[in-house]
Coordinates of all heavy atoms in Angstrom, one line a residue:
A213 N 4.4 10.4 -11.0 CA 5.1 11.5 -10.4 C 5.9 11.1 -9.2 O 7.1 11.5 -9.0 CB 4.1 12.6 -10.0
M214 N 5.4 10.2 -8.4 CA 6.1 9.8 -7.1 C 6.8 8.5 -7.2 O 7.9 8.3 -6.6 CB 5.0 9.8 -6.0 CG 4.4 11.1 -5.7 SD 3.3 11.1 -4.3 CE 4.4 11.0 -2.9
N215 N 6.3 7.6 -8.0 CA 6.9 6.2 -8.1 C 7.7 6.1 -9.4 O 8.9 6.1 -9.4 CB 5.9 5.2 -7.9 CG 6.5 3.8 -7.8 OD1 6.9 3.4 -6.7 ND2 6.5 3.0 -8.9
G216 N 7.0 5.9 -10.5 CA 7.6 5.7 -11.8 C 6.7 4.8 -12.6 O 5.5 4.7 -12.3
P217 N 7.1 4.2 -13.7 CA 6.3 3.5 -14.6 C 5.8 2.1 -14.0 O 4.8 1.6 -14.4 CB 7.1 3.2 -15.8 CG 8.5 3.3 -15.3 CD 8.5 4.3 -14.2
N218 N 6.5 1.6 -13.0 CA 6.1 0.3 -12.4 C 6.8 0.1 -11.0 O 7.5 1.0 -10.6 CB 6.4 -0.9 -13.3 CG 7.9 -0.9 -13.7 OD1 8.8 -0.8 -12.8 ND2 8.2 -1.1 -14.9
E219 N 6.5 -1.0 -10.4 CA 7.0 -1.3 -9.0 C 8.5 -1.3 -8.9 O 9.1 -0.9 -7.9 CB 6.5 -2.6 -8.6 CG 5.0 -2.7 -8.4 CD 4.5 -1.8 -7.3 OE1 4.5 -2.2 -6.1 OE2 4.1 -0.6 -7.6
F220 N 9.2 -1.8 -9.9 CA 10.6 -2.0 -9.8 C 11.5 -0.9 -10.5 O 12.7 -1.0 -10.4 CB 11.0 -3.4 -10.3 CG 10.5 -3.7 -11.7 CD1 11.2 -3.3 -12.8 CD2 9.3 -4.5 -11.8 CE1 10.7 -3.6 -14.1 CE2 8.9 -4.8 -13.1 CZ 9.5 -4.3 -14.2
H221 N 10.9 0.0 -11.2 CA 11.6 1.1 -11.9 C 11.2 2.4 -11.3 O 10.4 3.1 -11.8 CB 11.4 1.0 -13.4 CG 12.4 1.8 -14.2 ND1 13.7 1.8 -14.1 CD2 12.1 2.8 -15.1 CE1 14.3 2.6 -14.9 NE2 13.3 3.3 -15.6
V222 N 11.7 2.7 -10.0 CA 11.3 3.9 -9.3 C 12.1 5.0 -9.7 O 13.3 5.1 -9.3 CB 11.3 3.6 -7.8 CG1 10.9 4.9 -7.0 CG2 10.4 2.4 -7.4
I223 N 11.6 6.0 -10.5 CA 12.3 7.1 -10.9 C 11.6 8.4 -10.6 O 12.0 9.5 -10.9 CB 12.6 7.1 -12.5 CG1 11.3 6.9 -13.2 CG2 13.5 5.9 -12.8 CD1 11.4 6.9 -14.7
G224 N 10.5 8.3 -9.7 CA 9.8 9.4 -9.3 C 10.4 10.1 -8.1 O 11.5 9.8 -7.6
S225 N 9.6 11.0 -7.5 CA 10.1 11.8 -6.4 C 10.4 11.0 -5.1 O 11.1 11.5 -4.2 CB 9.1 12.9 -6.0 OG 7.9 12.3 -5.7
L226 N 9.9 9.8 -5.0 CA 10.2 9.0 -3.8 C 11.5 8.2 -3.9 O 11.9 7.6 -2.9 CB 9.1 7.9 -3.6 CG 7.7 8.4 -3.1 CD1 6.7 7.3 -3.1 CD2 7.8 9.1 -1.7
K227 N 12.2 8.3 -5.0 CA 13.4 7.4 -5.2 C 14.5 7.6 -4.1 O 15.2 6.6 -3.8 CB 13.9 7.5 -6.6 CG 14.6 8.9 -6.9 CD 15.1 8.9 -8.3 CE 15.9 10.2 -8.6 NZ 15.1 11.4 -8.5
D228 N 14.5 8.8 -3.5 CA 15.6 9.0 -2.5 C 15.0 9.1 -1.1 O 15.7 9.5 -0.1 CB 16.3 10.3 -2.8 CG 17.0 10.2 -4.1 OD1 17.6 9.2 -4.4 OD2 16.9 11.2 -4.9
W229 N 13.7 8.8 -0.9 CA 12.9 9.1 0.3 C 13.1 7.9 1.3 O 13.0 6.7 0.9 CB 11.5 9.3 0.0 CG 10.6 9.7 1.2 CD1 10.7 11.0 1.8 CD2 9.6 9.0 1.9 NE1 9.8 11.0 2.8 CE2 9.1 9.8 2.9 CE3 9.1 7.7 1.7 CZ2 8.1 9.4 3.7 CZ3 8.1 7.3 2.5 CH2 7.6 8.2 3.6
S230 N 13.3 8.2 2.6 CA 13.4 7.2 3.6 C 13.0 7.7 4.9 O 13.1 8.9 5.2 CB 14.9 6.8 3.7 OG 15.1 5.9 4.8
I231 N 12.4 6.8 5.7 CA 12.1 7.1 7.1 C 12.9 6.3 8.1 O 12.6 6.3 9.3 CB 10.6 6.9 7.4 CG1 10.1 5.5 7.0 CG2 9.7 8.0 6.7 CD1 8.6 5.2 7.4
V232 N 14.0 5.6 7.6 CA 14.9 4.9 8.5 C 15.6 5.9 9.4 O 16.0 7.0 8.9 CB 15.9 4.1 7.6 CG1 16.9 3.5 8.5 CG2 15.2 3.1 6.8
G233 N 15.7 5.6 10.6 CA 16.2 6.5 11.6 C 15.2 7.3 12.4 O 15.5 7.9 13.4
D234 N 14.0 7.3 11.9 CA 12.9 8.0 12.6 C 11.8 7.0 13.2 O 11.0 7.4 14.0 CB 12.1 8.9 11.6 CG 13.0 10.1 11.1 OD1 13.8 10.5 11.9 OD2 12.8 10.5 9.9
L235 N 11.9 5.8 12.8 CA 10.9 4.8 13.2 C 10.8 4.6 14.7 O 9.8 4.1 15.2 CB 11.1 3.5 12.4 CG 10.8 3.5 10.9 CD1 11.5 2.3 10.2 CD2 9.3 3.6 10.7
H236 N 12.0 4.8 15.4 CA 12.0 4.6 16.8 C 11.0 5.5 17.6 O 10.6 5.3 18.7 CB 13.4 4.9 17.4 CG 13.8 6.3 17.2 ND1 13.6 7.3 18.1 CD2 14.4 6.9 16.1 CE1 14.1 8.5 17.7 NE2 14.6 8.3 16.5
R237 N 10.5 6.6 16.9 CA 9.5 7.5 17.5 C 8.1 6.9 17.6 O 7.3 7.4 18.3 CB 9.5 8.8 16.6 CG 10.7 9.6 16.7 CD 10.8 10.6 15.6 NE 9.6 11.4 15.3 CZ 9.4 12.1 14.2 NH1 10.3 12.1 13.2 NH2 8.3 12.8 14.1
I238 N 7.9 5.7 16.9 CA 6.6 5.1 17.0 C 6.5 4.3 18.3 O 7.3 3.5 18.6 CB 6.4 4.2 15.8 CG1 6.4 5.0 14.5 CG2 5.1 3.3 15.9 CD1 6.4 4.1 13.2
R239 N 5.4 4.6 19.0 CA 5.2 4.0 20.3 C 3.9 3.1 20.3 O 3.4 2.6 21.3 CB 5.1 5.0 21.4 CG 6.4 5.6 21.8 CD 7.3 4.6 22.4 NE 8.7 5.1 22.8 CZ 9.7 5.0 22.1 NH1 9.7 4.4 20.9 NH2 10.9 5.4 22.5
T240 N 3.3 3.0 19.1 CA 2.0 2.3 18.9 C 2.3 0.8 18.7 O 3.3 0.5 18.0 CB 1.3 2.8 17.6 OG1 1.2 4.3 17.7 CG2 -0.1 2.2 17.5
P241 N 1.5 -0.1 19.3 CA 1.7 -1.5 19.0 C 1.7 -1.8 17.5 O 0.7 -1.3 16.8 CB 0.5 -2.2 19.7 CG 0.1 -1.2 20.8 CD 0.4 0.2 20.3
T242 N 2.7 -2.5 17.0 CA 2.8 -2.6 15.6 C 3.0 -4.0 15.1 O 3.7 -4.8 15.7 CB 4.1 -1.8 15.1 OG1 3.9 -0.4 15.5 CG2 4.3 -1.9 13.6
L243 N 2.2 -4.4 14.1 CA 2.4 -5.7 13.4 C 3.0 -5.4 12.0 O 2.5 -4.6 11.3 CB 1.0 -6.3 13.2 CG 0.9 -7.6 12.4 CD1 1.7 -8.7 13.0 CD2 -0.6 -8.0 12.1
L244 N 4.0 -6.2 11.7 CA 4.6 -6.1 10.3 C 4.2 -7.4 9.6 O 4.2 -8.5 10.1 CB 6.1 -6.1 10.4 CG 6.7 -5.0 11.4 CD1 8.2 -5.2 11.5 CD2 6.3 -3.6 10.9
I245 N 3.9 -7.2 8.3 CA 3.5 -8.4 7.5 C 4.3 -8.3 6.2 O 4.5 -7.2 5.6 CB 2.0 -8.3 7.1 CG1 1.1 -8.6 8.4 CG2 1.6 -9.2 6.0 CD1 -0.4 -8.4 8.2
S246 N 4.8 -9.5 5.7 CA 5.4 -9.6 4.4 C 5.3 -11.0 3.9 O 5.0 -11.9 4.7 CB 6.9 -9.1 4.4 OG 7.7 -10.0 5.2
G247 N 5.5 -11.2 2.6 CA 5.4 -12.5 2.0 C 6.8 -13.0 1.7 O 7.7 -12.2 1.5
R248 N 7.0 -14.3 1.7 CA 8.3 -14.9 1.4 C 8.8 -14.5 0.1 O 10.0 -14.4 -0.1 CB 8.2 -16.5 1.6 CG 9.5 -17.2 1.3 CD 10.5 -16.8 2.3 NE 10.2 -17.3 3.7 CZ 10.9 -16.8 4.8 NH1 11.8 -15.9 4.6 NH2 10.5 -17.3 6.0
H249 N 7.9 -14.3 -0.9 CA 8.3 -14.0 -2.3 C 8.0 -12.5 -2.6 O 8.0 -12.2 -3.8 CB 7.5 -14.9 -3.3 CG 7.6 -16.4 -2.9 ND1 8.7 -17.2 -3.2 CD2 6.7 -17.2 -2.3 CE1 8.4 -18.4 -2.8 NE2 7.3 -18.4 -2.2
D250 N 7.9 -11.7 -1.6 CA 7.5 -10.3 -1.7 C 8.6 -9.5 -2.4 O 9.7 -9.7 -2.1 CB 7.3 -9.8 -0.3 CG 6.3 -8.6 -0.2 OD1 6.2 -7.9 -1.1 OD2 5.6 -8.5 0.9
E251 N 8.1 -8.5 -3.2 CA 9.0 -7.5 -3.6 C 9.5 -6.7 -2.4 O 10.7 -6.1 -2.5 CB 8.4 -6.6 -4.7 CG 7.1 -5.9 -4.2 CD 6.6 -5.0 -5.3 OE1 7.2 -4.9 -6.4 OE2 5.5 -4.4 -5.1
A252 N 8.7 -6.6 -1.4 CA 9.2 -6.0 -0.1 C 9.9 -7.2 0.6 O 9.3 -7.9 1.5 CB 8.0 -5.5 0.7
T253 N 11.2 -7.4 0.3 CA 12.0 -8.5 0.8 C 12.3 -8.3 2.3 O 12.0 -7.2 2.8 CB 13.3 -8.5 0.0 OG1 14.0 -7.3 0.3 CG2 13.1 -8.7 -1.5
P254 N 12.8 -9.3 3.0 CA 13.1 -9.1 4.4 C 14.0 -7.9 4.6 O 13.9 -7.2 5.6 CB 13.8 -10.4 4.7 CG 13.1 -11.4 3.8 CD 12.9 -10.7 2.5
A255 N 15.0 -7.7 3.7 CA 15.9 -6.5 3.9 C 15.1 -5.2 3.9 O 15.5 -4.2 4.6 CB 17.0 -6.5 2.8
V256 N 14.0 -5.2 3.1 CA 13.2 -3.9 3.0 C 12.4 -3.7 4.2 O 12.3 -2.6 4.7 CB 12.3 -4.1 1.7 CG1 11.2 -3.0 1.7 CG2 13.1 -4.0 0.4
V257 N 11.9 -4.8 4.8 CA 11.1 -4.7 6.0 C 11.9 -4.5 7.3 O 11.4 -4.0 8.3 CB 10.1 -5.9 6.1 CG1 9.2 -5.8 7.3 CG2 9.3 -6.0 4.8
Q258 N 13.1 -5.0 7.3 CA 14.0 -5.1 8.5 C 14.0 -3.8 9.3 O 14.0 -3.8 10.6 CB 15.4 -5.5 8.1 CG 16.2 -5.9 9.3 CD 15.8 -7.2 10.0 OE1 15.4 -8.2 9.3 NE2 15.7 -7.2 11.3
P259 N 14.2 -2.6 8.7 CA 14.3 -1.4 9.5 C 13.1 -1.2 10.4 O 13.2 -0.7 11.6 CB 14.3 -0.3 8.5 CG 14.9 -0.9 7.3 CD 14.4 -2.3 7.3
Y260 N 11.9 -1.6 10.0 CA 10.7 -1.4 10.9 C 10.9 -2.3 12.1 O 10.6 -1.9 13.2 CB 9.4 -1.9 10.1 CG 8.9 -1.0 9.1 CD1 9.1 -1.3 7.7 CD2 8.3 0.2 9.4 CE1 8.6 -0.4 6.7 CE2 7.8 1.1 8.4 CZ 8.0 0.7 7.0 OH 7.5 1.6 6.0
H261 N 11.4 -3.5 11.9 CA 11.5 -4.5 13.0 C 12.6 -4.0 13.9 O 12.5 -4.2 15.2 CB 11.8 -5.9 12.4 CG 11.7 -7.0 13.5 ND1 12.8 -7.7 13.9 CD2 10.6 -7.4 14.1 CE1 12.4 -8.6 14.8 NE2 11.1 -8.4 15.0
D262 N 13.7 -3.4 13.4 CA 14.8 -3.0 14.1 C 14.5 -1.8 15.0 O 15.0 -1.7 16.1 CB 16.0 -2.6 13.2 CG 16.7 -3.9 12.6 OD1 16.4 -5.0 13.0 OD2 17.4 -3.7 11.6
E263 N 13.7 -0.9 14.5 CA 13.5 0.4 15.1 C 12.3 0.6 15.9 O 12.2 1.4 16.9 CB 13.7 1.5 14.1 CG 15.0 1.7 13.5 CD 15.1 2.9 12.5 OE1 14.5 3.9 12.8 OE2 15.8 2.7 11.5
I264 N 11.2 -0.1 15.5 CA 9.9 0.1 16.3 C 9.9 -0.8 17.5 O 9.9 -2.0 17.4 CB 8.7 -0.2 15.4 CG1 8.7 0.8 14.2 CG2 7.4 0.0 16.2 CD1 7.5 0.5 13.2
P265 N 9.9 -0.2 18.7 CA 9.9 -1.1 19.9 C 8.8 -2.1 19.9 O 7.6 -1.8 19.8 CB 9.7 0.0 21.0 CG 10.2 1.3 20.5 CD 9.8 1.2 19.0
G266 N 9.2 -3.4 20.1 CA 8.2 -4.4 20.3 C 7.4 -4.8 19.0 O 6.5 -5.6 19.1
A267 N 7.9 -4.4 17.8 CA 7.1 -4.7 16.6 C 7.2 -6.2 16.4 O 8.2 -6.9 16.5 CB 7.7 -4.0 15.4
R268 N 6.0 -6.8 16.0 CA 5.9 -8.2 15.7 C 5.8 -8.4 14.2 O 5.2 -7.6 13.5 CB 4.6 -8.7 16.4 CG 4.1 -10.1 16.0 CD 2.8 -10.4 16.6 NE 2.0 -11.4 15.8 CZ 0.7 -11.6 16.0 NH1 0.0 -10.9 16.8 NH2 0.1 -12.5 15.2
W269 N 6.5 -9.4 13.7 CA 6.7 -9.6 12.2 C 6.2 -11.0 11.8 O 6.7 -12.0 12.3 CB 8.2 -9.4 11.9 CG 8.5 -9.4 10.4 CD1 7.6 -9.5 9.4 CD2 9.8 -9.2 9.8 NE1 8.3 -9.4 8.2 CE2 9.6 -9.2 8.4 CE3 11.0 -8.9 10.4 CZ2 10.7 -9.0 7.6 CZ3 12.1 -8.8 9.5 CH2 11.9 -8.8 8.1
E270 N 5.3 -11.0 10.9 CA 4.7 -12.3 10.4 C 5.1 -12.4 8.9 O 4.7 -11.5 8.1 CB 3.2 -12.4 10.6 CG 2.8 -12.5 12.0 CD 2.9 -13.9 12.6 OE1 3.1 -14.8 11.8 OE2 2.8 -14.0 13.8
I271 N 5.7 -13.5 8.5 CA 6.1 -13.7 7.1 C 5.1 -14.8 6.6 O 5.0 -15.9 7.2 CB 7.5 -14.1 7.0 CG1 8.4 -12.9 7.4 CG2 7.8 -14.5 5.5 CD1 9.9 -13.2 7.3
F272 N 4.5 -14.5 5.5 CA 3.6 -15.5 4.9 C 4.3 -16.3 3.8 O 4.8 -15.7 2.8 CB 2.4 -14.7 4.3 CG 1.4 -14.2 5.3 CD1 1.8 -13.1 6.1 CD2 0.2 -14.8 5.5 CE1 0.9 -12.6 7.1 CE2 -0.6 -14.3 6.5 CZ -0.3 -13.2 7.3
E273 N 4.5 -17.6 4.0 CA 5.4 -18.4 3.2 C 4.9 -18.6 1.8 O 5.8 -18.8 0.9 CB 5.6 -19.8 3.9 CG 6.3 -19.7 5.2 CD 7.7 -19.2 5.2 OE1 8.3 -19.4 4.1 OE2 8.2 -18.7 6.2
E274 N 3.6 -18.6 1.5 CA 3.1 -18.8 0.2 C 2.7 -17.5 -0.5 O 2.1 -17.6 -1.6 CB 1.9 -19.7 0.3 CG 2.1 -21.0 1.0 CD 3.2 -21.9 0.5 OE1 3.3 -21.9 -0.8 OE2 4.0 -22.5 1.3
S275 N 3.1 -16.4 0.0 CA 2.7 -15.1 -0.6 C 3.8 -14.3 -1.1 O 5.0 -14.5 -0.8 CB 2.0 -14.3 0.5 OG 0.8 -14.9 0.9
S276 N 3.5 -13.3 -2.0 CA 4.4 -12.3 -2.4 C 3.9 -11.0 -1.8 O 4.0 -10.8 -0.6 CB 4.5 -12.2 -3.9 OG 3.2 -12.0 -4.5
H277 N 3.4 -10.0 -2.6 CA 3.2 -8.7 -2.1 C 1.8 -8.5 -1.5 O 1.4 -7.5 -1.0 CB 3.4 -7.7 -3.2 CG 3.6 -6.3 -2.8 ND1 4.5 -5.9 -1.9 CD2 3.0 -5.1 -3.3 CE1 4.5 -4.5 -1.7 NE2 3.5 -4.1 -2.6
L278 N 0.9 -9.5 -1.7 CA -0.5 -9.4 -1.3 C -1.0 -10.6 -0.5 O -1.9 -11.3 -1.0 CB -1.4 -9.2 -2.6 CG -1.0 -8.0 -3.5 CD1 -1.7 -8.2 -4.9 CD2 -1.3 -6.7 -2.9
P279 N -0.5 -10.8 0.7 CA -0.9 -12.0 1.5 C -2.4 -12.0 1.7 O -3.0 -13.1 1.8 CB -0.1 -11.8 2.8 CG 1.1 -11.0 2.4 CD 0.6 -10.1 1.3
H280 N -3.0 -10.8 1.8 CA -4.5 -10.8 2.0 C -5.3 -11.5 0.9 O -6.4 -11.9 1.1 CB -5.0 -9.4 2.4 CG -4.9 -8.5 1.2 ND1 -3.8 -7.9 0.8 CD2 -5.9 -8.0 0.4 CE1 -4.1 -7.1 -0.3 NE2 -5.3 -7.1 -0.5
L281 N -4.7 -11.5 -0.3 CA -5.3 -12.2 -1.5 C -4.7 -13.5 -1.7 O -5.4 -14.4 -2.2 CB -5.1 -11.3 -2.7 CG -5.7 -9.9 -2.7 CD1 -5.4 -9.2 -4.0 CD2 -7.2 -10.0 -2.5
E282 N -3.4 -13.7 -1.3 CA -2.7 -15.0 -1.6 C -2.9 -16.0 -0.5 O -3.0 -17.2 -0.8 CB -1.2 -14.7 -1.8 CG -1.0 -13.8 -3.0 CD 0.4 -13.2 -3.0 OE1 0.7 -12.3 -2.1 OE2 1.2 -13.5 -3.9
E283 N -3.0 -15.6 0.7 CA -3.3 -16.5 1.8 C -4.4 -15.9 2.7 O -4.1 -15.6 3.9 CB -2.0 -16.8 2.7 CG -0.9 -17.6 1.9 CD 0.3 -17.7 2.8 OE1 0.3 -18.5 3.8 OE2 1.3 -17.1 2.5
P284 N -5.6 -15.8 2.2 CA -6.6 -15.0 2.9 C -7.0 -15.5 4.3 O -7.2 -14.7 5.2 CB -7.8 -15.0 1.9 CG -7.6 -16.2 1.0 CD -6.1 -16.3 0.9
E285 N -7.0 -16.8 4.4 CA -7.5 -17.4 5.8 C -6.4 -17.1 6.8 O -6.7 -16.7 7.9 CB -7.8 -18.9 5.6 CG -9.0 -19.2 4.7 CD -10.2 -18.3 5.0 OE1 -10.6 -18.1 6.2 OE2 -10.8 -17.7 4.1
R286 N -5.2 -17.4 6.5 CA -4.1 -17.2 7.5 C -4.0 -15.7 7.8 O -3.8 -15.3 8.9 CB -2.8 -17.8 7.0 CG -1.7 -17.5 8.1 CD -0.4 -18.2 7.9 NE 0.5 -17.7 9.0 CZ 1.6 -17.1 8.8 NH1 2.1 -16.9 7.6 NH2 2.3 -16.6 9.8
F287 N -4.1 -14.9 6.7 CA -4.0 -13.4 6.9 C -5.0 -12.9 7.9 O -4.7 -12.2 8.8 CB -4.2 -12.7 5.5 CG -4.3 -11.3 5.6 CD1 -3.2 -10.5 5.7 CD2 -5.5 -10.6 5.7 CE1 -3.3 -9.1 5.8 CE2 -5.7 -9.3 5.8 CZ -4.5 -8.5 5.9
R288 N -6.3 -13.4 7.7 CA -7.4 -12.9 8.5 C -7.1 -13.4 10.0 O -7.3 -12.6 10.9 CB -8.7 -13.5 8.0 CG -9.9 -12.9 8.8 CD -11.2 -13.3 8.2 NE -12.3 -12.7 8.9 CZ -13.6 -13.0 8.6 NH1 -13.9 -13.9 7.7 NH2 -14.6 -12.3 9.3
A289 N -6.6 -14.6 10.2 CA -6.3 -15.1 11.5 C -5.2 -14.3 12.2 O -5.4 -13.9 13.4 CB -5.9 -16.6 11.5
V290 N -4.2 -14.0 11.5 CA -3.1 -13.2 12.0 C -3.5 -11.8 12.4 O -3.2 -11.2 13.5 CB -1.9 -13.1 11.0 CG1 -0.9 -12.0 11.4 CG2 -1.2 -14.5 10.9
L291 N -4.3 -11.1 11.5 CA -4.7 -9.8 11.7 C -5.7 -9.7 12.8 O -5.6 -8.8 13.7 CB -5.3 -9.2 10.4 CG -5.7 -7.7 10.4 CD1 -4.6 -6.8 10.9 CD2 -6.2 -7.3 9.1
T292 N -6.6 -10.6 12.9 CA -7.6 -10.7 13.9 C -7.0 -10.9 15.3 O -7.3 -10.2 16.3 CB -8.7 -11.7 13.7 OG1 -9.3 -11.5 12.4 CG2 -9.8 -11.8 14.8
D293 N -6.0 -11.7 15.3 CA -5.2 -12.0 16.6 C -4.6 -10.7 17.1 O -4.6 -10.4 18.3 CB -4.2 -13.1 16.3 CG -3.4 -13.4 17.6 OD1 -4.0 -13.8 18.6 OD2 -2.2 -13.3 17.5
F294 N -4.0 -10.0 16.1 CA -3.3 -8.7 16.5 C -4.3 -7.7 17.0 O -4.1 -7.1 18.1 CB -2.6 -8.1 15.3 CG -2.0 -6.8 15.6 CD1 -0.9 -6.6 16.4 CD2 -2.6 -5.6 14.9 CE1 -0.4 -5.3 16.6 CE2 -2.1 -4.4 15.1 CZ -1.0 -4.2 16.0
L295 N -5.5 -7.6 16.3 CA -6.5 -6.6 16.7 C -7.0 -6.9 18.1 O -7.3 -6.0 18.9 CB -7.6 -6.6 15.7 CG -7.2 -6.0 14.3 CD1 -8.4 -6.2 13.3 CD2 -6.9 -4.5 14.5

Side-chain angles (χ1 to χ4, degrees):
M214 296 183 75
N215 189 81
N218 57 46
E219 294 293 279
F220 50 81
H221 193 51
V222 180
I223 53 176
S225 59
L226 287 176
K227 68 182 186 297
D228 301 316
W229 188 70
S230 172
I231 53 174
V232 175
D234 294 325
L235 291 163
H236 64 91
R237 292 161 47 194
I238 295 174
R239 288 292 181 263
T240 307
T242 300
L243 171 66
L244 309 174
I245 287 173
S246 64
R248 180 62 67 193
H249 309 281
D250 206 330
E251 59 179 356
T253 63
V256 166
V257 180
Q258 193 68 46
Y260 289 105
H261 193 248
D262 289 345
E263 293 185 35
I264 300 176
R268 168 184 155 198
W269 188 359
E270 293 280 347
I271 296 177
F272 288 74
E273 295 297 333
E274 305 303 322
S275 295
S276 57
H277 199 51
L278 303 167
H280 69 283
L281 298 177
E282 295 164 295
E283 294 179 69
E285 295 313 314
R286 179 166 177 241
F287 172 84
R288 188 175 184 185
V290 166
L291 186 53
T292 302
D293 181 58
F294 173 71
L295 292 171

